[in-house]
Amino acid sequence: MEIQIRSESTHKQPSPRVTKTGSRVWFLRVCSSILVWICLFQLFVHSGIFTGLTNHITRSSLPVKPGLKKVIIFVGNYTSNGILRVSCNGGLNQMRAAICDMVTIARLLNLTLVVPELDKKSFWADPSDFEDVFDINNFINSLRDEVRIIRKLPKRYRRHKQFQMPPVSWSNENYYLHKLLPRFRKHKVIHFNRSDTRLANNGLSLHLQRLRCRVNFQGLRFTPRIEALGAKLVSILNQRGPFVALHLRYEMDMLAFSGCTHGCTEEEAEELKKMRYAYPWWKEKEIVSKERRVQGRCPLTPEETVLVLKALGFHKDTQIYIAAGDIYGGERRLALLKKSFPRIVKKEMLLDPTELQRFQNHSSQMAALDFIVSVASDTFIPTYYGNMAKVVEGHRRYFGFKKTILLNRKRLVELLDLHNNKTLSWEQFAVSVKEAHEGRRMGEPTHRKVISDKPKEEDYFYANPHECICDNPYTLTE
């Protein structure tokens, strides 16, 4: 026992100075390792080695329960490859689809997007800015985890002339990654001076297709003022019973640019032709109206619409909301429609003039009201398959495949001419019209028609964004 006690008493305790020195060495080694890894990570990111990877890891969001606000988490540093400025062209719904595409392109190329500029130069000459039509705060904040969006171009870039270009229409991911991304790295800021149909309908990654839907159905809300008045219109109509939204696309601009003059006087046809020539950006000038009508490329006239609605089974007491601007020819061309369906209304008839006063001379804001009513209607019928018809159709599919009757104008013209020249009786006409609109023309679930070498002829993405509607492909019919 004595020996054991003696040995323990003679064992040396570590010096406090030695302990402190070891801790400092360990601490310096850890700090050096962390510093090296940070430097390597920054080197890889800025050299572009992990550009594709950082697109996916720099931004993420926590899943949330309904009713809770989304919590955005930024992982790492956001590194932008440049700034995208966009000038939209066309009417409200053409611009809406374009904005969805531009956000998607900015996401793909990791660009900073300046809030798009709305068209002020074409036929409509609407002075509205983005924030006059859409809720700009919702647009920026709801997409924050996908794309960095700024309200204005930074001052340091405004002094210099910007590189302008219209991207090639119907382009896919490869075009933007290989052709345009290098240009952004060179110029830093690029101004897309045309935005319509600049992204392909098909062949894009699922994430990008769903992002287009997210912008369309969540990011692009109308301003609270427009939403409130639109909701009031829908409420008034619903109190009166079920209603049909008829997009009667028989307005002066439509007739002038399509060259469709069926049912017009000679003076009216000449007026429309002069208007078409007055706008240089509309390339097609000489148009044969009869040929275009036979091809099914003209909107139905108000008189033709009456016969079609009756043949489809709509009765005299049907409530019809006219979702359109001023009908060319005025009350003279609407007389038969109103006589056949006395419960026809427009927003001007349902609202006090003071409620619409601030929207007057703002075609995009007026169109937004019609858009809200059309999406909410029990049945939607467009007499021409233009941008509004397509985008409304897509919304109605997305919100539960609400009934949408897409008129087969080529077949209808044949039947209308046969009936008008007494070759086809009313009973035969009505049966034939119903047969022509069975199946895919009523808004049922279906895949888009894809024509890879003819994108203009294939189904439009925003009319049927089936990638966003249902994850199970077996619920869709071919």
Side-chain angles (χ1 to χ4, degrees):
M1 286 295 294
E2 293 179 359
I3 296 173
Q4 185 179 4
I5 293 171
R6 195 181 295 117
S7 65
E8 288 177 357
S9 63
T10 57
H11 187 274
K12 293 183 178 180
Q13 296 296 322
S15 168
R17 182 175 298 176
V18 174
T19 302
K20 289 182 179 179
T21 303
S23 298
R24 288 175 180 172
V25 171
W26 177 83
F27 179 78
L28 288 172
R29 285 177 179 175
V30 172
C31 291
S32 299
S33 298
I34 293 173
L35 184 60
V36 169
W37 280 109
I38 290 174
C39 291
L40 287 172
F41 179 78
Q42 293 294 331
L43 176 63
F44 289 148
V45 170
H46 288 290
S47 65
I49 294 175
F50 290 135
T51 299
L53 179 61
T54 55
N55 272 342
H56 295 282
I57 68 172
T58 56
R59 293 159 296 204
S60 62
S61 60
L62 290 176
V64 294
K65 295 179 180 179
L68 297 180
K69 292 184 178 180
K70 181 179 284 187
V71 179
I72 306 300
I73 296 179
F74 290 86
V75 184
N77 295 321
Y78 177 81
T79 304
S80 174
N81 289 322
I83 297 177
L84 173 59
R85 183 184 159 210
V86 177
S87 291
C88 298
N89 58 290
L92 173 65
N93 292 284
Q94 183 171 310
M95 292 192 291
R96 183 189 189 100
I99 292 167
C100 298
D101 287 350
M102 294 301 112
V103 171
T104 304
I105 292 166
R107 175 67 175 86
L108 172 65
L109 302 183
N110 211 28
L111 304 173
T112 297
L113 176 68
V114 181
V115 169
E117 303 162 14
L118 302 189
D119 192 346
K120 293 183 173 69
K121 298 179 180 179
S122 61
F123 165 80
W124 299 274
D126 188 341
S128 299
D129 292 317
F130 185 97
E131 58 269 28
D132 298 321
V133 181
F134 299 108
D135 186 334
I136 191 169
N137 291 325
N138 176 74
F139 178 66
I140 294 173
N141 294 331
S142 67
L143 300 169
R144 190 185 299 276
D145 61 328
E146 289 283 2
V147 180
R148 185 187 176 201
I149 303 175
I150 57 178
R151 291 174 181 259
K152 294 182 179 180
L153 186 69
K155 288 183 179 180
R156 64 181 179 274
Y157 295 111
R158 297 179 203 171
R159 304 187 193 97
H160 307 289
K161 187 177 181 180
Q162 297 160 26
F163 182 77
Q164 297 189 37
M165 63 169 293
V168 175
S169 297
W170 312 112
S171 295
N172 59 20
E173 293 173 63
N174 288 333
Y175 167 79
Y176 285 99
L177 286 169
H178 298 135
K179 298 289 186 182
L180 290 194
L181 184 56
R183 291 191 176 186
F184 277 98
R185 288 173 175 159
K186 176 182 178 182
H187 297 284
K188 303 303 179 185
V189 180
I190 294 183
H191 177 197
F192 287 176
N193 50 20
R194 290 186 70 84
S195 60
D196 57 323
T197 62
R198 303 295 148 170
L199 196 58
N201 290 313
N202 305 290
L204 303 182
S205 63
L206 183 59
H207 172 73
L208 293 180
Q209 295 289 54
R210 288 182 172 172
L211 177 57
R212 296 168 94 175
C213 292
R214 182 175 168 185
V215 185
N216 194 19
F217 301 122
Q218 298 175 28
L220 285 178
R221 291 180 189 164
F222 295 119
T223 64
R225 182 183 296 166
I226 293 174
E227 290 281 355
L229 196 56
K232 182 176 181 178
L233 279 168
V234 173
S235 177
I236 293 171
L237 289 162
N238 282 330
Q239 288 172 13
R240 301 181 176 192
F243 69 96
V244 173
L246 178 66
H247 184 40
L248 190 61
R249 193 68 170 96
Y250 203 76
E251 297 138 320
M252 187 175 186
D253 64 302
M254 177 73 249
L255 301 178
F257 301 140
S258 66
C260 298
T261 57
H262 182 72
C264 296
T265 64
E266 291 184 7
E267 292 77 12
E268 289 173 333
E270 185 62 28
E271 181 183 35
L272 294 171
K273 183 177 181 179
K274 287 180 179 179
M275 180 180 177
R276 185 165 65 251
Y277 273 87
Y279 287 86
W281 50 265
W282 193 263
K283 297 179 181 178
E284 195 174 10
K285 302 298 183 184
E286 286 297 325
I287 301 173
V288 180
S289 177
K290 291 182 179 180
E291 292 180 1
R292 181 147 293 192
R293 179 173 175 270
V294 170
Q295 294 167 354
R297 297 167 63 190
C298 287
L300 294 183
T301 68
E303 296 82 4
E304 291 173 333
T305 302
V306 170
L307 295 175
V308 172
L309 289 176
K310 288 182 176 180
L312 287 171
F314 291 98
H315 301 292
K316 189 172 185 177
D317 62 347
T318 301
Q319 182 181 203
I320 298 178
Y321 175 88
I322 302 293
D326 294 330
I327 302 304
Y328 190 62
E331 291 301 315
R332 175 178 63 85
R333 299 305 302 273
L334 284 173
L336 182 60
L337 191 58
K338 288 183 175 180
K339 181 180 178 181
S340 303
F341 299 97
R343 297 186 66 201
I344 279 184
V345 293
K346 297 184 69 175
K347 52 186 172 292
E348 292 83 357
M349 299 168 61
L350 300 175
L351 298 173
D352 188 275
T354 57
E355 294 178 288
L356 280 175
Q357 187 174 3
R358 64 182 60 188
F359 298 99
Q360 297 294 340
N361 301 318
H362 293 82
S363 58
S364 292
Q365 297 179 50
M366 295 288 273
L369 294 173
D370 285 339
F371 181 90
I372 292 171
V373 175
S374 297
V375 171
S377 64
D378 296 279
T379 304
F380 175 62
I381 307 175
T383 61
Y384 183 81
Y385 197 49
N387 289 298
M388 177 169 171
K390 293 173 183 176
V391 178
V392 169
E393 177 194 358
H395 273 66
R396 293 174 66 80
R397 286 180 182 274
Y398 186 80
F399 293 117
F401 298 103
K402 301 171 78 172
K403 188 174 182 180
T404 302
I405 303 179
L406 303 176
L407 300 179
N408 184 343
R409 295 189 309 282
K410 184 175 181 180
R411 177 62 176 149
L412 284 176
V413 166
E414 297 173 1
L415 296 174
L416 285 163
D417 288 346
L418 289 172
H419 175 63
N420 288 331
N421 66 21
K422 310 298 182 183
T423 303
L424 204 62
S425 68
W426 172 254
E427 290 74 18
Q428 292 172 320
F429 174 76
V431 169
S432 299
V433 168
K434 289 175 182 175
E435 289 177 348
H437 295 88
E438 292 176 350
R440 291 185 56 166
R441 291 196 167 270
M442 290 291 181
E444 291 85 350
T446 180
H447 283 292
R448 287 191 306 277
K449 179 176 65 176
V450 179
I451 308 175
S452 57
D453 58 336
K454 295 180 180 179
K456 289 184 179 181
E457 297 180 19
E458 64 184 6
D459 290 343
Y460 190 45
F461 174 81
Y462 294 101
N464 183 16
H466 63 74
E467 296 93 333
C468 315
I469 296 172
C470 185
D471 293 331
N472 183 2
Y474 298 102
T475 63
L476 301 172
T477 59
E478 294 294 342

